[in-house]
């Protein structure tokens, strides 16, 4: 198998450019593609994503990683675009993901249009991936890691205070940066509740789905993974990793893998290889 190479691309997004990395070998021939979708405060260079993308590429996939246009992160991995972060919404992320998929199928990301497509989404990106997979027939397989089961992430009292001030401050625990989060996301949830209903999308899904969740997830509790599995029914397979937290032990900067992350990655690649072949 040809050694994978990395190319960088830009796709116009809702709030600005979407930075896209593609890792693939033998680019002259079509191969199944896998798009990884980061979560809240995540980005394509965060910790586990580059080594995971490399593993996907070495397994024969075209591995596509992206920074949502509202991630707030530039291509160097710095939160240098705080206003984009502040105005980001779930609907914007759905549109950004759709634009990347369209660019991939137009052959604009350095590789031929893929014969099959899978999504791997983490946390909030897992919820976005469920919504996309339920509405996009090009998605043939889905994997979620520690996925949210609802876009309702804030208590009524917190939302009331947030609306009164117009902004909520979000602290980046690793760097200490304080990022603004405006009320756009609250407006989006209210206006587009049906479109953003992750549980309903899970019930509609017709593609094979692997739900991976850590039993000790401190950010998105295991109950949310169990809720998604119930909604999906027999179309989904759940993998609970005992003792694993929200990122399966991975950290940023990358300090190496963990047994929990290795298990998540191994199960994901085996699942995608089986479901996207041919």
């Amino acid at each position: 198998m040809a050694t994978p190479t990395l190319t960088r691309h830009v796709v116009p997004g809702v709030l600005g450019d979407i930075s896209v990395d593609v890792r693939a070998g033998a680019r002259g021939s079509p191969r199944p593609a896998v798009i990884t979708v980061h979560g809240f405060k995540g980005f394509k260079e965060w910790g586990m994503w580059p080594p995971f993308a490399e593993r996907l590429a070495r397994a024969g996939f075209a591995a596509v990683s992206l920074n949502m246009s509202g991630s707030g992160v530039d291509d160097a991995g710095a939160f240098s675009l705080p206003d984009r972060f502040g105005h980001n919404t779930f609907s914007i992320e759905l549109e950004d993901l759709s634009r990347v998929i369209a660019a991939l199928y137009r052959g604009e990301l350095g590789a031929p249009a893929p014969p099959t497509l899978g999504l791997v989404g983490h946390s909030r990106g897992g919820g976005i991936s469920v919504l996309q997979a339920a509405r996009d027939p090009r998605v043939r397989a889905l994997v979620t890691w520690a996925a949210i089961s609802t876009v309702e992430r804030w208590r009524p009292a917190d939302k009331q205070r947030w609306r009164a001030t117009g902004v909520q401050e979000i602290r980046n625990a690793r760097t200490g940066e304080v990022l603004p989060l405006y009320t756009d996301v609250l407006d989006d949830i209210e206006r587009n509740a049906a479109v953003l209903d992750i549980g309903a999308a899970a019930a509609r899904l017709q593609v094979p789905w692997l739900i991976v969740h850590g039993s000790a997830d401190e950010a998105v509790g295991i109950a949310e993974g169990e809720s998604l599995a119930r909604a999906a029914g027999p179309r989904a397979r759940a993998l609970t990793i005992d003792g694993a937290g929200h990122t399966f032990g991975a950290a940023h900067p990358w300090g190496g893998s963990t047994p929990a992350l290795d298990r998540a990655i191994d199960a994901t690649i085996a699942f995608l290889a089986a479901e996207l072949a041919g």
Side-chain angles (χ1 to χ4, degrees):
M1 182 178 295
T3 301
T5 57
L6 168 64
T7 55
R8 299 187 186 278
H9 310 268
V10 173
V11 174
V14 177
L15 295 173
D17 288 342
I18 305 167
S19 297
V20 181
D21 289 353
V22 178
R23 293 171 173 84
R27 291 178 182 243
S29 57
R31 58 187 51 222
V34 176
I35 298 177
T36 59
V37 186
H38 65 74
F40 186 59
K41 294 189 292 183
F43 49 97
K44 63 182 174 60
E45 298 296 339
W46 194 94
M48 62 194 175
W49 291 122
F52 175 50
E54 185 68 21
R55 283 279 310 272
L56 285 169
R58 291 188 179 279
F61 300 103
V64 181
S65 312
L66 67 142
N67 284 344
M68 294 290 187
S69 68
S71 68
V73 178
D74 59 28
D75 209 41
F79 279 96
S80 64
L81 304 165
D83 251 20
R84 290 196 197 173
F85 179 91
H87 290 294
N88 194 27
T89 69
F90 292 96
S91 291
I92 285 172
E93 292 191 353
L94 266 177
E95 176 61 22
D96 280 353
L97 179 55
S98 293
R99 293 185 187 190
V100 171
I101 293 173
L104 176 66
Y105 274 88
R106 290 194 300 264
E108 296 173 357
L109 299 182
T116 51
L117 173 66
L119 300 180
V120 178
H122 176 250
S123 193
R124 174 164 162 163
I128 293 295
S129 297
V130 173
L131 294 171
Q132 184 69 29
R135 70 178 192 171
D136 189 339
R138 293 168 298 187
V139 179
R140 295 273 297 277
L142 172 66
V143 181
T144 54
W145 292 358
I148 62 171
S149 62
T150 175
V151 297
E152 291 287 356
R153 313 307 299 172
W154 300 278
R155 296 174 298 184
D158 294 332
K159 290 194 284 188
Q160 186 175 10
R161 285 192 294 270
W162 186 355
R163 286 201 177 279
T165 61
V167 64
Q168 182 179 173
E169 293 185 340
I170 304 295
R171 182 171 294 276
N172 185 327
R174 180 178 62 85
T175 63
E177 293 165 303
V178 177
L179 302 169
L181 192 60
Y182 305 119
T183 56
D184 303 49
V185 66
L186 298 181
D187 297 337
D188 180 44
I189 292 168
E190 290 180 2
R191 293 170 183 162
N192 301 299
V195 174
L196 300 176
D197 189 333
I198 297 171
R204 294 195 308 271
L205 257 175
Q206 297 298 315
V207 299
W209 180 8
L210 175 63
I211 299 171
V212 184
H213 220 108
S215 67
D217 192 323
E218 69 287 0
V220 179
I222 184 64
E224 296 204 50
E226 293 168 345
S227 174
L228 291 173
R230 286 194 301 272
R235 294 181 303 281
R237 178 163 64 90
L239 170 62
T240 300
I241 301 182
D242 290 338
H246 191 56
T247 62
F248 308 101
H252 185 80
W254 177 245
S257 195
T258 67
L261 182 60
D262 285 342
R263 189 174 177 200
I265 290 175
D266 289 347
T268 295
I269 291 176
F271 174 83
L272 292 171
E275 299 298 342
L276 296 180

